[in-house]
Amino acid sequence: MKLKLAIQKSGRLHEDSVKLLKECGIDISNGVNKLKADAANFPIEVFFLRDDDIPQYVEDAVADIGFVGENVVYEKQKQVEVIDKLGFGKCRLSLAINKNEEYSSNYLQGKRIATSYPVILQKYLTEQNINAEIHEISGSVEIAPGIGLADAICDLVSSGSTLFMNGLKEVETILQSQAILIKNKSLNAELQQVLDKLLFRIQAVKKAKNNKYILLNAPNDKLKEIIGLLPGMKSPTVLPLAEEGWSSVHSVLNENQFWDIIEQLKAAGAQGILVIPIEKMIV
Ligand code: ATP
Ligand code: ZN
């Protein structure tokens, strides 16, 4: 039995979805122009769909799982289970107004807001006790204020350049979003096993991306101090160099603490520091 996975057919999530599968050893490169593709070496079948339809298909078990933006999942309110964040497709759903307007917390009171996310927006407005009129439009929301259709917009933003080009400024963030894995609520045991296998691989890929392998040379009299700086998976590997009095130290560093630790290592006498990407990490 094959696990049916829905991903975006084309658009901002498509490439990263295919790439993640590839990094998990699942190759579907021969099927991108079709409605669906089989993987040669994993019991999975990939459906290419519009992102907006993915929650419904997963609720209806037309697909067992899906990769889709949190923004779409929260807007559609379908009965699906959220399993894991995937680390790509990062953006935020924000409110923006004309850049020349002064903004205050009651600015939106009685105003017209254009959005493709009426459910999420209404929830926010209710929480904030704001009475505003929501105008639902399906695309090019950012032009609505310019053509007099709305006083404000609520739209997805990543760099902010689209807002800037349309003379708008971001004033509130309503939701931080990224691609997530959702699943049908009643997956059978056999398919759940395939999903667990896939999740194991996704975890290994995600961990690897957040970590780097580091090698360095250290004079033996500085070893203790240097090892003390390195977290490592267990403890660092230390190997003697051909040159008397020196050792090579190998370890794994998390991206977040990376630059801090490198600086401290240098200051402590480490030399010839090499940093290498990790392809998969299983801990
Ligand atoms: P489809 O044809 O599948 O309906 P679409 O036009 O609705 O595509 P895209 O613009 O490709 O969708 O965006 C898909 C998803 O990518 C969004 O729902 C969101 O989760 C994510 N995303 C990441 N960054 C941005 C951004 N700057 N603007 C819009 N979406 C973004
Ligand atoms: Zn869409």
Side-chain angles (χ1 to χ4, degrees), residues 8 50-52 72:
Q8 195 187 22
R50 282 201 59 200
D51 66 344
D52 312 67
V72 172

Side-chain angles (χ1 to χ4, degrees), residues 130-244:
I130 298 169
N131 251 314
E133 212 179 290
I134 298 178
H135 283 248
E136 185 178 352
I137 44 181
S138 61
S140 305
V141 172
E142 66 282 356
I143 65 166
I147 60 174
L149 188 70
D151 308 299
I153 66 164
C154 168
D155 202 9
L156 294 173
V157 183
S158 47
S159 69
S161 61
T162 308
L163 293 182
F164 181 79
M165 283 189 307
N166 286 280
L168 300 170
K169 65 177 175 190
E170 195 175 346
V171 291
E172 301 280 358
T173 300
I174 295 186
L175 174 79
Q176 296 282 351
S177 179
Q178 62 173 286
I180 53 176
L181 192 158
I182 55 170
K183 80 160 192 173
N184 177 272
K185 287 212 156 160
S186 42
L187 212 58
N188 71 37
E190 190 182 341
L191 291 174
Q192 183 62 47
Q193 252 182 17
V194 182
L195 174 57
D196 289 343
K197 227 169 129 174
L198 175 66
L199 285 173
F200 175 77
R201 295 188 188 192
I202 290 175
Q203 294 303 345
V205 170
K206 273 184 13 187
K207 274 210 190 78
K209 277 189 188 151
N210 292 331
N211 288 278
K212 300 275 181 257
Y213 193 78
I214 173 167
L215 299 102
L216 58 87
N217 295 331
N220 287 347
D221 58 339
K222 298 280 171 56
L223 262 181
K224 217 171 157 200
E225 189 184 345
I226 286 175
I227 290 170
L229 293 168
L230 292 168
M233 286 222 268
K234 273 211 162 63
S235 75
T237 309
V238 180
L239 303 163
L241 289 186
E243 190 180 328
E244 191 77 27

Side-chain angles (χ1 to χ4, degrees), residues 87-119:
F88 61 86
K90 288 187 179 161
C91 59
R92 54 194 187 274
L93 186 65
S94 288
L95 284 162
I97 62 171
N98 187 305
K99 70 175 192 311
N100 300 319
E101 294 277 318
E102 188 127 356
Y103 180 74
S104 63
S105 55
N106 59 359
Y107 176 88
L108 294 168
Q109 215 54 263
K111 296 272 196 321
R112 298 162 303 161
I113 310 172
T115 189
S116 308
Y117 294 89
V119 173

Side-chain angles (χ1 to χ4, degrees), residues 58 129 139 197 243 257:
V58 171
N129 286 318
K197 227 169 129 174
E243 190 180 328
Q257 17 161 236

Side-chain angles (χ1 to χ4, degrees), residues 227-277:
I227 290 170
L229 293 168
L230 292 168
M233 286 222 268
K234 273 211 162 63
S235 75
T237 309
V238 180
L239 303 163
L241 289 186
E243 190 180 328
E244 191 77 27
W246 283 78
S247 298
S248 165
V249 180
H250 301 202
S251 188
V252 172
L253 279 189
N254 190 279
E255 198 94 279
N256 296 328
Q257 17 161 236
F258 182 76
W259 287 110
D260 274 350
I261 293 185
I262 295 277
E263 276 163 22
Q264 294 173 39
L265 288 169
K266 267 195 77 177
Q271 294 183 9
I273 303 174
L274 292 182
V275 178
I276 299 168

